[in-house]
Amino acid sequence: MKYLVAKFTFSDKKGNNIPSSEVMQTARDLLASLIGDIGFESFEDSLNGLNGYVQEGLFQKAPLDQIIREFPIDSLLITYIVEEVEDTDWNATWEEEGFDPIVIGNRCVIHDLIRPVTASYPLDIVIDARQAFGTGTHETTRMIVSTLLDMELTDKRVLDCGCGTGILSIVAAKCGAHEVMGYDIDEWSTRNTEHNAALNGVSQIEVLQGDVHVLSHVSGVFDIVLANINRNILFEDMPKFREVMTHGSILIISGFYQDDSQMLAEKAGTLGMTLHHTVSENNWCMMQFVIE
């Protein structure tokens, strides 16, 4: 799957100078939130702005230009260029540096192959991220992992939508799920999920490549459906999730801000799902629904 990088530059309309550090960070946060709703998946700060990564097939120029025209900081001028990301490992620098071990509720540690874990925890998850997203460093992943740790997953069938590194699939499998199916539109991610499943010694994970339409080839229903993806995709894909759920099935979604929660809750309600639980962290939101 090819990616594009949009390189955004911020400047002050009055003097063409770089904005203050406070304005710069506010602008980065706002822009990341807004373009995350139109398919951008990952962001990194640059000296004069922000870089955003999006799958080539999901890039939408007209909505992006509208976001920039209507950007709520009137004093700011935003320009951007779009470049193709080489098919080499564009995430290599981050992967080589690794990430600090993440401890969730003193019950689970998530770590890479580089940085050592100095204490033992009931659940030990190793993630070797290779051109895929999902290590537990983001609030949305941590909230879902914490929720899974509190659930009874023994003998459950779990679906992981947009599996990325496979972290949620692996947690579910290690918590007792007897069958886990993940899918991702990105071939890099499907391979990485399989790689990480092997690293963690779990064999009950099956991975498919494609978008939500791969579910039309899947038999049976799932007890738990997990989806940590952006708001627009969640909104569009929920009806497909519902088709593979039944009485008592649980849907756990994240990847969106609190401001978007009402819209998603209303959508779920039209599909016969009842809101059971909501959690937020740093304005990111996770919602849990059940079919009663």
Side-chain angles (χ1 to χ4, degrees), residues 252-267:
I252 299 173
I253 59 173
S254 194
F256 55 91
Y257 289 99
Q258 285 180 281
D259 291 344
D260 299 318
S261 60
Q262 182 176 350
M263 175 191 75
L264 292 168
E266 290 174 355
K267 179 70 170 182

Side-chain angles (χ1 to χ4, degrees), residues 24-25 28-29 43-51:
M24 176 71 80
Q25 193 55 54
R28 285 171 176 150
D29 292 343
F43 313 96
E44 62 180 2
D45 293 349
S46 64
L47 180 62
N48 297 326
L50 182 78
N51 294 336

Side-chain angles (χ1 to χ4, degrees), residues 1-279:
M1 180 65 62
K2 287 186 176 293
Y3 274 79
L4 302 176
V5 56
K7 298 181 177 180
F8 299 93
T9 299
F10 304 153
S11 59
D12 190 325
K13 289 180 180 178
K14 294 182 179 179
N16 255 354
N17 297 317
I18 298 174
S20 68
S21 59
E22 182 178 350
V23 172
M24 176 71 80
Q25 193 55 54
T26 299
R28 285 171 176 150
D29 292 343
L30 279 171
L31 184 60
S33 172
L34 292 168
I35 66 177
D37 289 338
I38 59 170
F40 282 79
E41 298 178 17
S42 183
F43 313 96
E44 62 180 2
D45 293 349
S46 64
L47 180 62
N48 297 326
L50 182 78
N51 294 336
Y53 293 88
V54 61
Q55 293 177 26
E56 185 178 43
L58 297 180
F59 177 68
Q60 306 174 72
K61 187 177 188 305
L64 177 58
D65 289 343
Q66 182 177 354
I67 286 171
I68 291 175
R69 285 195 306 271
E70 299 175 355
F71 199 70
I73 303 178
D74 293 334
S75 62
L76 204 66
L77 175 67
I78 302 177
T79 57
Y80 74 92
I81 60 173
V82 178
E83 299 175 352
E84 290 187 1
V85 179
E86 295 182 7
D87 279 342
T88 55
D89 193 347
W90 54 270
N91 209 31
T93 300
W94 183 87
E95 292 166 13
E96 289 170 4
E97 294 175 356
F99 60 93
D100 290 330
I102 300 151
V103 178
I104 299 177
N106 287 320
R107 295 176 292 171
C108 173
V109 61
I110 302 166
H111 61 94
D112 57 24
L113 296 172
I114 301 171
R115 303 192 185 190
V117 177
T118 57
S120 61
Y121 297 87
L123 196 63
D124 187 301
I125 307 290
V126 57
I127 295 294
D128 182 23
R130 297 180 179 179
Q131 293 178 276
F133 300 103
T135 60
T137 58
H138 198 276
E139 292 91 338
T140 59
T141 309
R142 292 199 302 269
M143 288 188 289
I144 294 180
V145 170
S146 180
T147 298
L148 290 174
L149 294 175
D150 289 333
M151 298 177 71
E152 176 52 65
L153 298 182
T154 303
D155 295 330
K156 301 297 185 183
R157 190 179 192 220
V158 177
L159 175 66
D160 184 4
C161 309
C163 52
T165 61
I167 183 171
L168 300 180
S169 293
I170 293 164
V171 170
K174 285 206 165 191
C175 286
H178 80 93
E179 182 184 350
V180 182
M181 179 171 291
Y183 71 83
D184 201 296
I185 195 171
D186 189 342
E187 183 183 356
W188 295 334
S189 293
T190 58
R191 291 201 304 261
N192 197 215
T193 292
E194 292 170 343
H195 169 69
N196 286 319
L199 282 179
N200 286 275
V202 291
S203 59
Q204 66 269 51
I205 298 176
E206 180 182 356
V207 189
L208 303 176
Q209 183 185 348
D211 61 15
V212 72
H213 294 95
V214 301
L215 297 180
S216 62
H217 305 294
V218 174
S219 299
V221 295
F222 293 88
D223 301 294
I224 299 166
V225 176
L226 311 172
N228 187 13
I229 45 187
N230 80 61
R231 180 199 69 179
N232 290 351
I233 296 176
L234 285 171
F235 191 85
E236 292 298 322
D237 290 358
M238 264 196 217
K240 291 293 184 183
F241 300 162
R242 178 62 181 85
E243 290 177 8
V244 294
M245 299 171 67
T246 188
H247 176 75
S249 292
I250 294 170
L251 172 65
I252 299 173
I253 59 173
S254 194
F256 55 91
Y257 289 99
Q258 285 180 281
D259 291 344
D260 299 318
S261 60
Q262 182 176 350
M263 175 191 75
L264 292 168
E266 290 174 355
K267 179 70 170 182
T270 65
L271 299 169
M273 302 183 196
T274 302
L275 179 61
H276 183 264
H277 188 53
T278 301
V279 179

